[in-house]
Structures are given as C-alpha cells and as structure tokens.
Amino acid sequence: MAFYVLRFLNSAKKLSNERSFFYRNDVIVKRMADIYRKKLKVIDTFSFDEFISSAAHDEEAVAFFVKTKIDLDDYSEWVIEKCYEKNIPVILKDDFLNVPFNIRHANMISNDIADKSNIILNYCVTNNRRNLALYGLNPRSNADTKLAEGIYQRWTALDIDDIYTVVNGLDSCYESFFENRDKYDVVILVNDLVAVDLIERLKHSDPEYIEKTFFIGSMNSLLSRLYYPSLTSSSYKQTSGAIMLYRLYELCVKNRNDFGSVNIMLKNYFTSRDTTANIPFEQSTDCFKPTNRKLNFDSSVEEIETPEIPIMIESMLSSIDLNDLKIIGMLIRGKTALEIAESLFMSLSSVKHKMSNLYRLLDVKRKKDFIDTVKPYINLKYLDDYIKEQSTCLLYTSDAADDK
C-alpha cells in the first residue's frame, strides 16, 4: 500500500529553507507510519512528474499534500485537478487550503472549529475570564482565520480591535497588543509558535503579566509541553489524526470509485498547563451558538513574517527520536560528546553524527550556537519528564508485542 507525501516547494528555494513548514503534517504522517509500519509504505516525492510516473500505475496510490508555503498556489491546485483526472485520491489537511476550488476532488482531515471554540470559551467562562484577545493571526492561513471566526462568532464581546494580526510583522503585532494588554485576562493564540514568541517577548517587557494572564494555544505541540511556562492548548490528538488519516487512506484505496470525497472532523481536547495555572478543564454542556458576524481580513499580503526560531525548534522536535532528546538535554547541561556516549551506551561516532544532525536541523554549525538557540525554549525538568514518559510507553509497547 503506497502513501505518497507530496511536498510543494518554491522553485527558487532549496529544501533546507522550506523545512520549517513541514512540522505539523510531518508529525501526523510520521505517527501514522509508526503505527502502521507493517501495512504502509510512505513515499516522499517533490516532483509531480515523478509522482505521476509511479502512482498512475499503482491501484493503491493515494496522495497526501504537505504545504511548504503559507497559501495554496495555482500549481498546487493544478496538481489536485490532475490527480482527480487520473483517479488518484488526494487527502489534505484543512490548513493546506486558502483559495476556493472544487473541494469534491479532495478528501479532508479537519479540525472541528466549533468544538474547539466552545471548549476554549467554556474554560474561560468557568474560570471567570471574560476579557479575550486573539493574537498572531495570519490572514493567509486558513486554520488561523477559521479559528478566529469561530471565536468571533460565538463571543460577541470580542471586537475586531481585539484581534491582532501579523500582516505588518511580528514586531508590529506585539507592539499593538502590548499597548492594550491590560484590557485582557485571556490571550488566545492561533498557534503554539506565536504563543511562545509572545511569551518570550513578555518575559523581557512585563513578566508579571504572564503570571496573571491566561494564554491558550491551539496545537498542543511538543514545544508547548517542553517550554517554560508550558503552554495550555486545545487541539486534537496527533495519534487520533494519524489513525483517521490511515482509515481515510484505506477507504480511498478500497472504495475510491464509490464516493466523491470525505471530510473527517477531529475532536479537540483541552490540556491545561502552566499558562493557565494548571487549572483543569471541567466538561460543560454549555454551547456558544454562532452569530452571523463575519471577519474580513486583507489576505493579499505576499510575505507574512513567522516566528522563525520556535518553528525551527518544533520542526526539529517533530523529526528526532528519544536518544536525540536525551542528547539535547545533556548538551544543555554542558556534557561533552564523550560523556554523552558513555551515558547512552553509544559509540562516540554515533553521538557526533546525531549532534551534527541536530545542528543541521537548526541551521547552526557549532555546539555553543545550538545550545544558545534551544536553551531558552526547553525546560530541562519538563524534558526529563517527557523522556521518562516516552521510555515507559516504549517499554509497555515492547512488552505487549512480546506477549503476542
């Protein structure tokens, strides 16, 4: 069974310059491949011609698109149409799309925005937090605008001036918010990466504001867990996304001629952490019904600034294994390559190879530069806790496999 992952690149840029946009989709594909590794062959391809030459003769071929640009360009739309003509099913994440076209040509894995909006608003109301801001919105991102509209339609006290966009850059977004910050007791972040960027800025400008304000992200990324303060988040489970992606793939393979398209909406979960004082989420039956209010943003801006370092770190964290995480922790603690090799029972050459790969993922060449880059974003206690948890999971999985 062949699952083709198509990555769309700017022709003028090399792959290394585009890697930061892979993180979210790659996690789901990687998790799916881990779960179904005996049933599935994941094939990366960067050339449409290369893909068609292989997939057109494969009755089990399905294309999954990974975006590497903020929006969907004409070429990507053309590729989807060509896949449809050749009866090759296409699966997209909902954050891939930003221009309208015949959606029946593609299957979707979507985040249930109504569910996410209700969960966030219920949590705020339950904790008597009613002064909301929405921060970091990119008008060219379908995921951002859908979340903003979901909150805006259900919380009528949210004014258009309470939504801070990155149209004029991250600095401008932050400056506008900072001037008005005392109006808000909750800041909803369109993703965890702008959340980390915002909190890093506030650490230097107004650290007390971090303590008294709720910050709620919307990705539940690994960075949100390892960062200090750890970031509260509302999102679907990545394992659920991986399982549903595989189920949709199976459906496309076995019944591709029996349906037009399928849209799977993933349920959201609320994970409370430091940025909401670790106050647990209490399930509520309250439902915030949407109004007819609409948001209109200028999406014609060609270049949108993104929080580069948080994106690179999350991309790195999404693509490495448990030993790499252990190496990162030991590097931050000042251990040498030899000490790391002895601690992990690895050869010195293997450790050096892994270190070089970590440096490459963050586009640095020296150990000092690597440590200086990751140290502000990774809390060692949280990293140790995560490694311990994952080690236990691996041990349990191994024991279960042995029992079979």
Side-chain angles (χ1 to χ4, degrees):
M1 301 176 76
F3 188 85
Y4 293 81
V5 181
L6 273 73
R7 307 175 192 267
F8 287 92
L9 303 174
N10 285 330
S11 58
K13 294 184 177 181
K14 295 181 179 179
L15 172 62
S16 61
N17 295 329
E18 295 283 351
R19 67 181 182 279
S20 59
F21 292 109
F22 295 169
Y23 62 92
R24 185 64 184 176
N25 289 313
D26 266 349
V27 172
I28 296 175
V29 174
K30 183 175 183 293
R31 188 70 58 87
M32 181 184 70
D34 289 342
I35 296 172
Y36 301 103
R37 57 186 175 274
K38 293 183 179 179
K39 301 180 180 179
L40 184 69
K41 183 179 183 182
V42 177
I43 303 171
D44 281 334
T45 180
F46 302 94
S47 163
F48 178 67
D49 291 336
E50 171 192 331
F51 162 66
I52 285 296
S53 65
S54 302
H57 306 290
D58 186 345
E59 294 182 355
E60 296 184 342
V62 175
F64 180 75
F65 287 11
V66 174
K67 71 171 184 178
T68 60
K69 298 170 67 175
I70 296 300
D71 64 344
L72 181 69
D73 59 21
D74 293 338
Y75 175 69
S76 306
E77 183 177 346
W78 177 81
V79 170
I80 292 172
E81 294 291 342
K82 288 298 179 183
C83 287
Y84 175 73
E85 290 175 8
K86 295 182 178 296
N87 199 29
I88 300 172
V90 170
I91 300 175
L92 306 176
K93 278 278 282 90
D94 61 348
D95 57 1
F96 190 94
L97 300 176
N98 203 38
V99 296
F101 69 99
N102 195 341
I103 197 60
R104 71 184 180 88
H105 293 182
N107 304 281
M108 300 286 291
I109 297 286
S110 305
N111 199 336
D112 189 337
I113 295 300
D115 178 51
K116 181 194 283 280
S117 301
N118 274 302
I119 287 174
I120 292 173
L121 293 175
N122 270 305
Y123 185 80
C124 294
V125 171
T126 300
N127 290 283
N128 198 29
R129 304 277 180 142
R130 298 174 179 271
N131 302 308
L132 278 59
L134 198 143
Y135 182 91
L137 183 140
N138 171 6
R140 294 178 65 187
S141 166
N142 191 52
D144 288 10
T145 54
K146 285 174 66 176
L147 175 60
E149 193 160 83
I151 299 292
Y152 184 73
Q153 290 180 342
R154 289 167 175 80
W155 191 253
T156 56
L158 184 73
D159 190 74
I160 189 68
D161 292 334
D162 300 319
I163 300 176
Y164 297 88
T165 77
V166 295
V167 169
N168 296 316
L170 288 167
D171 289 344
S172 176
C173 182
Y174 176 72
E175 289 165 5
S176 298
F177 169 79
F178 191 77
E179 290 178 2
N180 299 292
R181 68 192 184 284
D182 291 328
K183 291 169 51 179
Y184 310 114
D185 52 20
V186 178
V187 183
I188 300 170
L189 294 309
V190 294
N191 63 60
D192 296 353
L193 309 172
V194 294
V196 169
D197 180 81
L198 171 61
I199 295 172
E200 278 296 299
R201 293 170 185 263
L202 287 169
K203 283 180 180 180
H204 300 286
S205 304
D206 189 355
E208 292 182 0
Y209 185 76
I210 301 173
E211 299 296 326
K212 64 184 182 182
T213 307
F214 279 10
F215 296 86
I216 301 175
S218 57
M219 285 172 57
N220 200 22
S221 60
L222 184 50
L223 179 60
S224 72
R225 178 171 179 173
L226 301 184
Y227 181 68
Y228 182 83
S230 56
L231 181 66
T232 292
S233 192
S234 175
S235 182
Y236 59 82
K237 293 180 179 178
Q238 291 175 356
T239 299
S240 299
I243 292 172
M244 289 299 102
L245 179 58
Y246 181 75
R247 297 291 182 233
L248 184 51
Y249 169 76
E250 281 191 317
L251 187 64
C252 289
V253 169
K254 297 176 181 178
N255 305 93
R256 68 175 65 199
N257 296 316
D258 297 333
F259 62 93
S261 63
V262 174
N263 182 9
I264 296 177
M265 301 183 74
L266 297 171
K267 182 179 179 180
N268 290 270
Y269 295 84
F270 195 90
T271 306
S272 180
R273 297 193 179 103
D274 294 342
T275 57
T276 55
N278 292 288
I279 300 171
F281 174 74
E282 296 181 6
Q283 191 67 42
S284 172
T285 57
D286 293 341
C287 180
F288 294 86
K289 295 183 179 180
T291 64
N292 292 324
R293 298 204 303 169
K294 296 292 183 181
L295 286 173
N296 294 300
F297 293 107
D298 181 10
S299 60
S300 62
V301 183
E302 292 189 3
E303 294 295 333
I304 296 289
E305 184 183 6
T306 55
E308 182 178 355
I309 294 179
I311 286 177
M312 291 178 70
I313 292 176
E314 175 61 23
S315 179
M316 174 190 73
L317 293 172
S318 300
S319 60
I320 61 178
D321 60 27
L322 207 55
N323 277 334
D324 291 314
L325 289 172
K326 293 176 182 178
I327 290 173
I328 291 173
M330 285 186 260
L331 286 173
I332 294 174
R333 288 185 167 96
K335 301 295 185 182
T336 65
L338 181 58
E339 290 172 324
I340 294 171
E342 292 173 347
S343 177
L344 296 181
F345 302 101
M346 295 173 62
S347 68
L348 182 58
S349 61
S350 295
V351 169
K352 287 184 175 180
H353 175 75
K354 281 185 167 291
M355 287 170 59
S356 296
N357 184 56
L358 291 172
Y359 300 166
R360 180 184 60 80
L361 290 172
L362 288 193
D363 199 22
V364 298
K365 295 183 178 180
R366 299 188 306 161
K367 181 169 75 172
K368 181 182 183 303
D369 295 333
F370 178 83
I371 295 171
D372 289 344
T373 301
V374 300
K375 192 172 183 179
Y377 297 93
I378 296 180
N379 177 275
L380 287 174
K381 180 184 181 304
Y382 293 162
L383 178 62
D384 292 343
D385 290 345
Y386 179 78
I387 290 172
K388 183 177 180 181
E389 175 191 296
Q390 294 301 304
S391 298
T392 302
C393 289
L394 287 173
L395 182 62
Y396 175 81
T397 304
S398 177
D399 289 344
D402 291 342
D403 290 340
K404 291 180 181 180

